[in-house]
Amino acid sequence: MVFRVKLPLPSSADDVFMDEEGVLIDITSPVPWGGTKSVTTEETSIDLPVREIETCGLAYFRYQLKRQAIEAGEAGSGGFDPCKRLRDEAEGEEEIGEGGEGGSDDTTFRFPKKTLTPKDVKKMDYYELLGLGHLSATEVGPDLLKKAYRKALLLYHPDKTGRGDRDEVFIEVQKAYETLSDGRKKRAYDSEMNFDESIPTGREKGDFFKVYGPVFDRNARFAVKRPVPNLGREDSKIEDVYRFYDYWGRFESWRDFSLKAAEENDFHVEAAGSREEKRWMQKENDKLARAMKKEEYKRLATLVERARTADPRLKRAKELEKEKKEAIKAARTAAAREREVQRRKDAEEETKKKEEEEARLKEERARAKLVRDQAKKRMRSARSRFRALCSLLHRQEEEAVGEETAGRRVVSVEEEDFMFEHVDVMGMEEAVAALEGVPYVYQAEPDGPSPPPARVSPAGVARVTAIVERERQKRREAKREEETSKAASGLAHASAEKDGGEESSPKEAAWTEEELGVLAKAVVRFPAGTQKRWQCIADYLNHMVRGASLRSKEECIKQYQVVQAGVSKSRVVAATGGAGAGGGSEGRKSGKTGTSRGEDNGKAVASGDGWSQEQQKQLEAGLVTYPASMEKNERWKRISEGVQGKSKKECAERYKALRAAVAKKKEEAAGAKTQPLK
């Protein structure tokens, strides 16, 4: 008879079995269940039926013992006792248990003292069944497990208990050894053995450490990374607390749910009828095991989150952090409030300063206006008296000596015009005093108007002529000084250009547009006749233009003359239509033919000198934009850039021609005015 087992055999019994008569049979290929197998014995070849049995029992042990005796050379022709080795090994195990290398039963193996029944076995785990219930799963190694299994066989073997081969206690012992001896099965069994998966709800009252500490210790058995930090105590450092929750937040578990999944699916791979069925069962079991593992991690995450929420140490740390943030926020708010108060204070001070400055300027403007009004009033009074005195002088001379000699004793029309146009209030009052025949004394606040005299002193005419000549001499000297400075500046610049170096003498700083605008306002604010007029203008300019170089009254006078000269030239050029010398007569002639002076001159310029109306306008605009106070070459360079098609030299020559034409016209006008009245 041939024996076939449903569980794997040890490697030493894979291909050899023994029949009931002790005949060795060699099985070289698998036999299907319920089939037959042709085997060769020492006598003949026969077909034997296949029967399913367990890998234990008297026949199996007799086979194993005899095979070992054959290999050791102990088997002889007679007297071989197949149970002798079994008894010897059992006696050896008892000796070990009685105080040998393995220690006593009380310290190494703890089996129940009463005889186990199938009902008792269902209440015990595999470790208790093998006498290892007092040890943890990690303390049970392969060697200790093998010794415990041998001890259990001696206690629960059917031959000793007399319950037969189908004894449930003995079958359960075999299952326990097969499960715990396989690493994967042992891990799956340990994952479900006596484990409480419950976690706190988060609403428990009492000591936090007593509620959550055992739960974390219970789940720490599945930790991959060790050592596992403990929950700690009330006075633990906050760094250790953070380290604990950081570890459990990334907790890695070795817990295996394959055995539980197989039990829930009722898919036992060993009972599969084919490879396809086995693979399908394994796939379904793995799928359910992965889902269970995912739920396990969710359970641990919930545990950690509830512990974080209930941990008094984290609550204190959170309160401290909140207080720290509130303190920082309060400090920032206080600093912002201080900055706002300071800003408002600065704004109020700035507003106050502006109001004071405005009040001061308003007062200065009022004083300046009063001075201007007084100067204008004083000038009008002096001019009126001067005109009245001149008229009285004419009548007086006509009555006394006749009309022919009166022209030599009166103030000429040219002198009157010059006095009204160029002489200030002091010169006008001096001329009035000379005509009235009284000495002139300047008064800051003159008395009221005195009654006109009955007669005019003829000697005052010479004094008026002297005043006019004095003012003309001043103007000639100023003009000569300006021309001399311009010529010197031009020569110095030409020499610098020739030598390729800078000018040796310092030059006046160019006037900015802001300074020119303030100068124009100052000239209007302080009219002619104001006491120390140009000093007031210079002070006003330096006060209004902050950060610029201070201007003296001489610089203000010079710049004003330059601006006035430029304005006069532009007016003359505009009046003549841009014509050169002789343009006036040509304009008068063109007026008879019904054409405008500007159009006729523009055509003449375009046809005669090669300058169009557009170029002439561009030149005039450049002369006004860039004053004569600028450096000469730089000025004409800028002007030529604004005139299309003309070079710097052509623009300068055109300006000289126009200036000569204007000078000639002025001489003609002056000659006409000097003719005696008839």
Side-chain angles (χ1 to χ4, degrees):
M1 174 174 271
V2 177
F3 299 94
R4 175 71 177 266
V5 297
K6 66 178 181 180
L7 294 175
L9 292 174
S11 60
S12 61
D14 285 342
D15 52 4
V16 179
F17 286 88
M18 181 187 297
D19 65 0
E20 293 178 351
E21 291 75 23
V23 178
L24 295 177
I25 301 173
D26 183 17
I27 300 177
T28 57
S29 61
V31 180
W33 295 107
T36 60
K37 172 65 179 180
S38 295
V39 298
T40 302
T41 66
E42 296 176 355
E43 300 176 355
T44 180
S45 296
I46 58 175
D47 292 334
L48 298 175
V50 177
R51 183 163 64 87
E52 179 181 356
I53 66 171
E54 296 288 344
T55 57
C56 61
L58 184 58
Y60 177 74
F61 276 96
R62 189 189 302 138
Y63 151 72
Q64 288 283 11
L65 294 173
K66 187 171 184 179
R67 180 178 178 181
Q68 294 175 10
I70 293 172
E71 292 176 353
E74 298 176 357
S77 58
F80 175 72
D81 185 0
C83 293
K84 183 178 182 301
R85 183 181 293 273
L86 182 61
R87 288 194 300 270
D88 295 341
E89 291 180 358
E91 291 175 359
E93 292 289 293
E94 291 177 359
E95 291 176 0
I96 294 176
E98 291 175 356
E101 296 179 0
S104 64
D105 290 342
D106 295 336
T107 57
T108 305
F109 308 113
R110 295 181 183 178
F111 293 98
K113 298 189 180 296
K114 67 175 184 177
T115 303
L116 296 179
T117 63
K119 187 180 292 186
D120 296 332
V121 171
K122 292 181 180 180
K123 298 178 182 180
M124 300 172 64
D125 58 48
Y126 287 168
Y127 290 97
E128 293 176 346
L129 193 59
L130 296 177
L132 301 173
H134 61 288
L135 301 176
S136 63
T138 56
E139 293 175 344
V140 178
D143 295 338
L144 185 60
L145 182 65
K146 188 180 295 184
K147 292 178 181 180
Y149 177 56
R150 291 176 181 176
K151 187 70 174 178
L153 287 178
L154 295 176
L155 294 176
Y156 305 123
H157 195 277
D159 292 342
K160 189 170 183 178
T161 59
R163 296 175 182 174
D165 295 342
R166 295 296 177 180
D167 182 17
E168 293 185 9
V169 177
F170 187 68
I171 293 173
E172 198 67 21
V173 170
Q174 287 182 311
K175 287 183 179 180
Y177 178 71
E178 292 170 1
T179 300
L180 298 180
S181 61
D182 188 303
R184 187 172 183 274
K185 291 182 180 180
K186 182 177 183 298
R187 185 174 62 180
Y189 179 78
D190 293 341
S191 299
E192 302 299 327
M193 185 193 69
N194 299 329
F195 180 68
D196 182 11
E197 293 186 349
S198 63
I199 60 175
T201 61
R203 296 185 294 271
E204 291 81 5
K205 302 296 183 180
D207 189 1
F208 167 79
F209 301 95
K210 292 182 180 180
V211 173
Y212 284 90
V215 180
F216 281 105
D217 293 341
R218 190 167 60 241
N219 286 272
R221 61 183 285 190
F222 303 120
V224 175
K225 295 181 179 180
R226 292 184 180 275
V228 180
N230 56 13
L231 185 59
R233 299 180 301 177
E234 182 75 23
D235 57 350
S236 297
K237 294 182 179 180
I238 193 64
E239 293 80 7
D240 297 336
V241 177
Y242 288 145
R243 192 179 302 111
F244 171 81
Y245 285 107
D246 183 65
Y247 174 86
W248 280 97
R250 294 194 294 266
F251 183 77
E252 295 182 16
S253 174
W254 55 259
R255 192 175 181 186
D256 192 344
F257 294 91
S258 58
L259 186 60
K260 186 176 180 181
E263 292 177 357
E264 288 194 10
N265 285 335
D266 198 16
F267 294 155
H268 298 283
V269 180
E270 295 83 359
S274 62
R275 288 185 297 178
E276 289 76 10
E277 184 181 5
K278 181 178 179 181
R279 290 174 180 172
W280 178 79
M281 288 182 177
Q282 188 65 42
K283 182 178 179 181
E284 292 297 321
N285 291 341
D286 292 343
K287 181 179 179 182
L288 182 58
R290 287 193 296 271
M292 291 180 176
K293 190 65 173 285
K294 188 175 182 181
E295 291 297 326
E296 171 71 4
Y297 278 118
K298 287 184 179 179
R299 183 183 67 84
L300 292 174
T302 304
L303 171 63
V304 174
E305 185 62 28
R306 291 176 181 175
R308 282 179 181 272
T309 305
D311 196 333
R313 299 168 298 181
L314 293 181
K315 290 181 179 179
R316 289 197 304 270
K318 189 179 294 184
E319 290 295 329
L320 292 175
E321 186 68 21
K322 183 178 179 181
E323 293 176 359
K324 183 178 179 180
K325 289 183 179 179
E326 289 179 353
I328 294 174
K329 184 178 179 181
R332 291 178 179 175
T333 304
R337 190 182 299 111
E338 291 180 0
R339 289 195 299 270
E340 181 64 20
V341 171
Q342 186 65 29
R343 186 189 65 80
R344 291 181 180 179
K345 184 177 179 181
D346 295 342
E348 291 176 358
E349 292 180 356
E350 186 68 21
T351 303
K352 185 177 180 181
K353 289 181 180 180
K354 287 183 178 180
E355 291 176 354
E356 293 176 354
E357 183 69 16
E358 290 177 357
R360 186 182 64 80
L361 293 177
K362 185 177 180 180
E363 185 179 356
E364 289 182 358
R365 287 194 294 268
R367 287 200 303 268
K369 185 175 183 302
L370 180 62
V371 171
R372 288 197 304 272
D373 293 342
Q374 291 177 354
K376 289 179 181 179
K377 183 178 179 181
R378 192 168 179 174
M379 191 67 170
R380 285 195 300 268
S381 176
R383 286 177 177 176
S384 176
R385 292 179 65 82
F386 181 75
R387 186 179 294 108
L389 290 173
C390 288
S391 300
L392 182 60
L393 180 62
H394 277 282
R395 291 195 301 270
Q396 179 180 325
E397 290 298 323
E398 290 176 356
E399 292 174 358
V401 296
E403 187 176 353
E404 293 182 359
T405 59
R408 297 191 300 271
R409 306 290 301 276
V410 298
V411 179
S412 65
V413 176
E414 180 184 0
E415 290 175 342
E416 288 185 20
D417 293 342
F418 186 87
M419 289 288 294
F420 281 107
E421 185 175 357
H422 299 290
V423 179
D424 57 7
V425 64
M426 295 178 63
M428 188 67 71
E429 289 179 349
E430 183 181 358
V432 170
L435 293 177
E436 289 179 351
V438 297
Y440 172 68
V441 178
Y442 177 79
Q443 296 179 358
E445 295 182 359
D447 300 333
S450 59
R455 291 183 60 82
V456 179
S457 173
V461 176
R463 184 58 183 164
V464 171
T465 303
I467 293 173
V468 171
E469 185 62 27
R470 184 184 64 192
E471 292 296 330
R472 286 179 176 174
Q473 183 65 24
K474 288 182 180 180
R475 294 177 63 82
R476 284 193 295 268
E477 290 178 357
K479 185 176 181 180
R480 190 181 303 110
E481 183 180 356
E482 180 182 358
E483 292 177 353
T484 303
S485 63
K486 287 183 179 180
S489 176
L491 291 174
H493 184 71
S495 176
E497 281 189 347
K498 183 176 180 181
D499 299 338
E502 299 289 338
E503 293 185 6
S504 58
S505 60
K507 61 179 181 180
E508 179 184 341
W511 284 68
T512 63
E513 294 182 1
E514 183 182 6
E515 289 178 321
L516 293 175
V518 174
L519 177 63
K521 293 180 181 179
V523 170
V524 176
R525 185 182 294 273
F526 303 101
T530 304
Q531 187 177 7
K532 298 182 179 180
R533 178 194 183 196
W534 288 106
Q535 186 62 45
C536 294
I537 291 174
D539 294 341
Y540 179 79
L541 176 65
N542 296 328
H543 174 74
M544 296 301 294
V545 182
R546 304 278 182 173
S549 58
L550 298 179
R551 299 290 184 178
S552 63
K553 65 178 182 179
E554 289 78 10
E555 292 177 331
C556 295
I557 295 172
K558 182 178 179 181
Q559 184 63 27
Y560 177 71
Q561 292 174 350
V562 170
V563 173
Q564 287 296 105
V567 172
S568 300
K569 291 175 184 177
S570 62
R571 288 176 180 175
V572 171
V573 171
T576 58
S585 60
E586 292 178 1
R588 288 190 294 273
K589 292 179 182 179
S590 63
K592 298 178 181 179
T593 60
T595 60
S596 66
R597 183 184 304 172
E599 293 175 354
D600 190 29
N601 284 335
K603 294 177 182 178
V605 169
S607 59
D609 298 335
W611 282 74
S612 64
Q613 277 187 331
E614 185 65 25
Q615 291 173 335
Q616 182 66 29
K617 291 179 180 180
Q618 293 172 355
L619 176 63
E620 295 171 4
L623 291 172
V624 175
T625 304
Y626 304 105
S629 60
M630 293 179 60
E631 195 273 327
K632 185 176 180 182
N633 285 313
E634 181 66 20
R635 181 194 183 201
W636 285 110
K637 179 181 178 182
R638 296 288 183 86
I639 293 174
S640 62
E641 290 176 354
V643 180
Q644 296 180 356
K646 297 298 181 179
S647 63
K648 181 173 66 174
K649 183 178 180 180
E650 291 174 338
C651 293
E653 291 177 352
R654 178 67 175 177
Y655 172 70
K656 291 179 180 179
L658 294 176
R659 185 175 60 182
V662 172
K664 183 177 180 181
K665 185 176 180 180
K666 281 187 176 182
E667 291 177 359
E668 292 177 355
K673 284 185 178 182
T674 54
Q675 296 296 328
L677 295 176
K678 295 182 180 180

